[in-house]
Amino acid sequence: MLSFLASLAVVVIFAVMVYRYAPRRADRTAELFERYRPHAPMADWSMAYGDDRRQYAELTAIRAHRESETAGERRR
């Protein structure tokens, strides 16, 4: 019984602290909108991502071409 009361007291103290120190609803509204605001235009993100994918594909093709050339030289 004593451990139940002690654990209940800890839970109540924690709930009171959360209620006391949590930001008010009106103060949080602006933060919630700012959290999901993009830092740059979405078009810039997609272009940069597409550019990275293109560059990776080109580098992979170059590596494959070099490997095929070295494999061909070894066969001769």
Side-chain angles (χ1 to χ4, degrees), residues 20-35:
R20 168 72 177 94
Y21 294 108
R24 301 287 176 241
R25 185 177 295 263
D27 298 337
R28 277 190 59 201
T29 305
E31 288 180 20
L32 290 175
F33 283 123
E34 287 293 318
R35 180 187 305 174

Side-chain angles (χ1 to χ4, degrees), residues 25-66:
R25 185 177 295 263
D27 298 337
R28 277 190 59 201
T29 305
E31 288 180 20
L32 290 175
F33 283 123
E34 287 293 318
R35 180 187 305 174
Y36 300 110
R37 183 177 60 92
H39 299 287
M42 297 297 267
D44 289 346
W45 288 353
S46 63
M47 292 296 287
Y49 179 68
D51 206 27
D52 290 343
R53 288 181 55 195
R54 180 191 54 77
Q55 185 179 16
Y56 178 76
E58 288 176 358
L59 290 173
T60 304
I62 291 169
R63 267 189 229 113
H65 182 70
R66 285 183 182 163

